[in-house]
Amino acid sequence: MLKAVQVTNTKMKEEFCSLPGPSANRRDYLDEAKDDTPWMILDKEGVAARCSLWWSNVPAYQDHQVGVIGHYAARNAPAASELLQLCSRELAKKGCTIVIGPMDGNTWGTHRLVTKTKGDLPFFLEPNTPLEWADHFTQDGFEPLSHYISRIVDLDHRDLGEAGQEYEKKRYKQLTQHMNERGIRIRQLDLTRIDEELTRIYELSIRAFHQNFLYTEISENEFLKQYTKIVPYIKPELVLLAEHDDRLVGFMFTLPDVMQAQMGKAVDQVILKTLAVDPDYQGYKIGSFLVKAVYDLAQKLGYQRAINALMIQENRSTRFNANEGYILRDYTLFAKKLEREA
């Protein structure tokens, strides 16, 4: 028999976090989430499904009153169905007309579900989820809202053939000349002043992503908390900053795939995590150059592959290497319209 329980105390939060999922696996992370309320579905074995709900501070979407389901995890389909139906009822009571998920509050947090995979191992910071979780949402009436991909590229460009390799070399040379002619300087991240560097990256991110789908502005403090957690994994030569005079106009934040090391393998691939370009500098080909420059640097450092991670398919960044490598994973963010309760 299934039982729905609202999480209201420390002991219940510990139970909530005991069910494995892509996020909220530690109580301190759950405490920082700023959700409105967490819920669990219990069975005789313990926590069978869990999630958190947001309705107070959520992204805007069309003319809807948005509700959000995040921190999602489920051990089986019956518990998932019970949980998702409960979520719809609770959010409708709060006046929500659409529910979006899974998403930990906004797109700065963990969001999306894996909907197709080539079987490659998960990579660092990837929201790796079982394929059946997407079925949980579709079976409850959710429909795809946005699609994302992660693409893996062979850094020696063998998949492009000899002619393709020559074209890539020529293209990189042209882009380098283009940057020089416009006075745009490229440098690596300076770890000795990481706080200052991350503050500048935050300020550019806010400008660059303002028009993004489901954009929600977060505070500098929230941003720094997220990025400070990954500072120990940074290789500064892989984080490239583009500057025009003293202004940061672009960055490519790249990390080694330390998940490989955690699985006992050699780290031979990098993850292109975040690319941003100042809106005033669109058309300067900064994004194209930064991607190619990271490829070149990573190869020289001995890495064999690059993962262009979690790109929304409608975004222009998916076109930078659309003919290279292959898509290793597809992801989907779901939504369902609600009727307000009388």
Side-chain angles (χ1 to χ4, degrees):
M1 183 174 177
L2 300 174
K3 179 182 178 182
V5 177
Q6 187 174 356
V7 177
T8 58
N9 59 48
T10 299
K11 182 179 178 182
M12 296 172 78
K13 287 181 179 180
E14 295 286 357
E15 287 184 84
F16 183 101
C17 296
S18 69
L19 183 64
S23 63
N25 294 314
R26 286 172 40 181
R27 206 193 76 206
D28 55 339
Y29 287 5
L30 185 61
D31 289 339
E32 294 173 1
K34 297 183 179 180
D35 58 305
D36 288 294
T37 181
W39 284 88
M40 299 185 293
I41 301 296
L42 306 180
D43 63 13
K44 62 182 180 180
E45 297 178 22
V47 183
R50 47 97 158 173
C51 74
S52 298
L53 300 181
W54 284 257
W55 61 82
S56 299
N57 183 22
V58 293
Y61 179 67
Q62 297 180 355
D63 59 351
H64 283 284
Q65 178 64 44
V66 173
V68 171
I69 297 173
H71 298 158
Y72 181 80
R75 187 158 31 83
N76 56 59
S81 177
E82 188 82 9
L83 180 68
L84 292 174
Q85 289 177 40
L86 178 148
C87 291
S88 295
R89 291 194 303 270
E90 291 297 315
L91 291 171
K93 289 177 185 177
K94 301 299 180 182
C96 298
T97 59
I98 194 169
V99 54
I100 297 174
M103 177 168 68
D104 292 357
N106 55 58
T107 55
W108 294 95
T110 300
H111 61 293
R112 302 162 281 222
L113 291 173
V114 175
T115 46
K116 188 185 298 184
T117 179
K118 291 282 189 180
D120 298 69
L121 293 173
F123 56 84
F124 185 48
L125 300 178
E126 181 185 16
N128 189 45
T129 58
L131 291 174
E132 57 264 28
W133 284 9
D135 295 334
H136 297 168
F137 278 76
T138 56
Q139 288 167 8
D140 194 60
F142 283 78
E143 296 182 351
L145 180 66
S146 53
H147 298 276
Y148 309 78
I149 59 171
S150 291
R151 181 182 289 275
I152 192 163
V153 175
D154 193 333
L155 289 176
D156 64 10
H157 303 296
R158 285 176 297 181
D159 54 333
L160 296 179
E162 188 174 338
Q165 292 176 46
E166 286 303 313
Y167 172 80
E168 285 301 314
K169 291 178 183 177
K170 182 179 179 182
R171 175 67 172 158
Y172 184 40
K173 185 176 180 180
Q174 290 173 339
L175 287 169
T176 301
Q177 182 178 349
H178 188 80
M179 293 299 105
N180 292 335
E181 289 173 351
R182 281 161 173 72
I184 295 172
R185 184 173 69 97
I186 308 297
R187 68 171 178 86
Q188 72 178 44
L189 186 79
D190 186 350
L191 278 179
T192 65
R193 50 190 184 98
I194 187 63
D195 290 343
E196 179 186 341
E197 296 279 62
L198 288 178
T199 294
R200 297 181 75 210
I201 287 172
Y202 165 75
E203 292 169 349
L204 176 55
S205 297
I206 295 302
R207 296 198 305 275
F209 302 147
H210 184 72
Q211 298 299 321
N212 280 13
F213 182 64
L214 295 180
Y215 175 80
T216 303
E217 187 163 321
I218 62 172
S219 69
E220 181 178 334
N221 186 53
E222 290 174 298
F223 179 89
L224 293 178
K225 275 186 178 180
Q226 286 191 14
Y227 272 77
T228 299
K229 291 173 183 175
I230 62 175
V231 166
Y233 307 107
I234 291 174
K235 282 194 173 293
E237 58 268 38
L238 292 173
V239 181
L240 299 184
L241 308 180
E243 296 174 323
H244 189 226
D245 297 326
D246 293 325
R247 179 176 180 176
L248 182 65
V249 297
F251 71 85
M252 179 75 256
F253 207 101
T254 308
L255 295 162
D257 185 8
V258 296
M259 183 68 78
Q260 291 182 296
Q262 293 173 12
M263 294 179 177
K265 298 179 178 296
V267 179
D268 61 3
Q269 58 193 28
V270 295
I271 304 161
L272 279 66
K273 180 182 182 295
T274 309
L275 171 66
V277 176
D278 191 311
D280 293 341
Y281 286 74
Q282 296 293 343
Y284 279 54
K285 302 180 182 178
I286 294 171
S288 296
F289 176 78
L290 288 173
V291 171
K292 301 300 183 188
V294 163
Y295 284 177
D296 185 65
L297 282 168
Q299 186 182 23
K300 288 176 180 176
L301 290 168
Y303 296 98
Q304 297 177 17
R305 291 173 299 279
I307 298 172
N308 294 263
L310 304 166
M311 301 178 292
I312 189 167
Q313 285 193 293
E314 293 79 6
N315 194 292
R316 61 184 294 160
S317 64
T318 59
R319 300 198 296 268
F320 289 150
N321 61 354
N323 297 318
E324 297 180 77
Y326 64 90
I327 296 172
L328 64 90
R329 217 106 58 214
D330 292 69
Y331 318 81
T332 302
L333 183 65
F334 293 92
K336 182 174 73 170
K337 292 182 180 179
L338 302 174
E339 293 186 8
R340 294 191 186 189
E341 290 207 350

